[in-house]
Amino acid sequence: MFQVALTGLLTGLALIVAVGAQNAFLLRQGIRGEQVLPIVLTCLISDVVAISLGVAGLGVVLERWPGVLPIAQVLGGLYLIAFGVHAAMRAWKPGKLDAGEGSALTPGRAVLLTLALTWLNPHFYLDAVLMLGTVANSFGEDRWWFLAGTLTASVLWFFGLGFGARLLRGLFARPAAWRVLDSAIAVIMGALGIGLLAH
């Protein structure tokens, strides 16, 4: 059981620890210290729902109706490109990090943005539902231990990234640092969006 859970933990980290739209957004908000907890919890709950559905067998449903993924690709691609354009505009006129926590982003908007960046990304379904669901079910009755391992990976990563990003706040007191970060986010979002539309 422990070995299966450890396999789930390592597999989950391998999938989650990647430069993507969700992680880039969480990193930026973590550095700003703005609405971090709602974003972290939204990321975590999304993983719990998707991975649990995959382990419970929803992956089989998506395999039978593959037409769902192309629609998600188009919507997700357009959203990511728009998000990238917005980041590029911020990079053009960067600000600096205020000493306060910031309040430009409401909790509701933070949750909605996180949900869009997560659930409009077809790779999220491929990774969390199909891939993890398939691997988990290969362990038979121990699949729930695999699920526990992957969800532990999600907790460690999202809380670590969201609240650990504050260590970089001194660096991002300078507008130039925000220009670099937002430029990188714009490139990442744009590339991911174009990649989704090109498939």
Side-chain angles (χ1 to χ4, degrees):
M1 291 185 291
F2 175 76
Q3 185 175 358
V4 175
L6 180 60
T7 301
L9 174 68
L10 296 177
T11 305
L13 286 174
L15 288 175
I16 297 169
V17 182
V19 178
Q22 185 192 62
N23 285 338
F25 178 61
L26 177 56
L27 175 63
R28 186 178 202 280
Q29 295 308 117
I31 291 170
R32 288 175 58 87
E34 184 181 72
Q35 307 300 346
V36 178
L37 185 59
I39 295 170
V40 167
L41 292 178
T42 303
C43 292
L44 185 57
I45 291 170
S46 295
D47 268 16
V48 169
V49 171
I51 299 171
S52 297
L53 287 174
V55 173
L58 187 62
V60 176
V61 175
L62 289 179
E63 286 176 348
R64 290 181 182 173
W65 288 287
V68 172
L69 289 179
I71 295 171
Q73 281 184 312
V74 172
L75 292 175
L78 292 174
Y79 184 83
L80 290 177
I81 290 172
F83 197 95
V85 169
H86 186 65
M89 292 171 63
R90 287 196 310 262
W92 184 258
K93 292 183 178 180
K96 66 177 183 177
L97 186 66
D98 295 325
E101 292 298 294
S103 58
L105 195 64
T106 65
R109 182 164 162 75
V111 169
L112 288 176
L113 279 171
T114 307
L115 287 172
L117 289 171
T118 303
W119 291 94
L120 288 180
N121 179 4
H123 293 294
F124 176 69
Y125 298 93
L126 291 172
D127 291 344
V129 180
L130 289 176
M131 203 282 276
L132 288 177
T134 301
V135 174
N137 281 287
S138 71
F139 290 103
E141 293 298 319
D142 287 336
R143 64 185 179 276
W144 302 111
W145 288 103
F146 183 90
L147 173 64
T150 59
L151 296 183
T152 299
S154 296
V155 170
L156 293 174
W157 174 251
F158 291 129
F159 275 93
L161 179 63
F163 292 100
R166 291 183 179 214
L167 299 174
L168 301 174
R169 292 189 78 185
L171 173 66
F172 285 91
R174 298 190 295 272
W178 281 109
R179 174 172 280 133
V180 171
L181 178 64
D182 282 324
S183 296
I185 290 174
V187 170
I188 291 166
M189 300 294 190
L192 288 171
I194 292 170
L196 289 179
L197 293 177
H199 278 81

